[in-house]
Amino acid sequence: MNKGAAGLFHVAGKERLSRWQIGELLAARWPQLNPKLEPGSIKDYAGPPRSADTSLKCAKAEGLLGRPLPGLSEWLKAHPEEAI
């Protein structure tokens, strides 16, 4: 790893997920929270402008780490003991 690296690094995970998909994964993981997900579309959103795609490019961080970052699905499967 290059300890002299500098700059902005996006670190999120390799899996590209919508807000809905993230909600579904978290609701399935912690059903005791009684999640109530309601489908919606950015097209129907009436608030301040929001980006439809909030994914990040993590290649720079992965290159410095020398390994790929896990995706959320992969991380949840690998850490079943993690509590809320």
Side-chain angles (χ1 to χ4, degrees):
M1 181 161 59
N2 184 348
K3 295 188 185 217
L8 179 64
F9 295 87
H10 293 153
V11 179
K14 68 180 176 184
E15 194 172 11
R16 187 175 184 176
L17 300 168
S18 69
R19 292 175 182 101
W20 176 258
Q21 291 168 313
I22 292 169
E24 286 183 314
L25 286 169
L26 297 177
R29 174 65 175 265
W30 291 291
Q32 68 272 27
L33 295 176
N34 300 313
K36 294 175 178 69
L37 299 176
E38 295 182 24
S41 171
I42 193 81
K43 295 173 192 162
D44 301 324
Y45 177 67
R50 297 179 86 174
S51 175
D53 184 351
T54 59
S55 58
L56 301 174
K57 294 180 181 177
C58 300
K60 186 176 178 182
E62 288 178 325
L64 287 168
L65 291 171
R67 62 183 177 85
L69 295 168
L72 179 59
S73 298
E74 181 183 341
W75 187 90
L76 289 171
K77 287 177 189 172
H79 298 88
E81 73 289 348
E82 292 292 325
I84 15 182

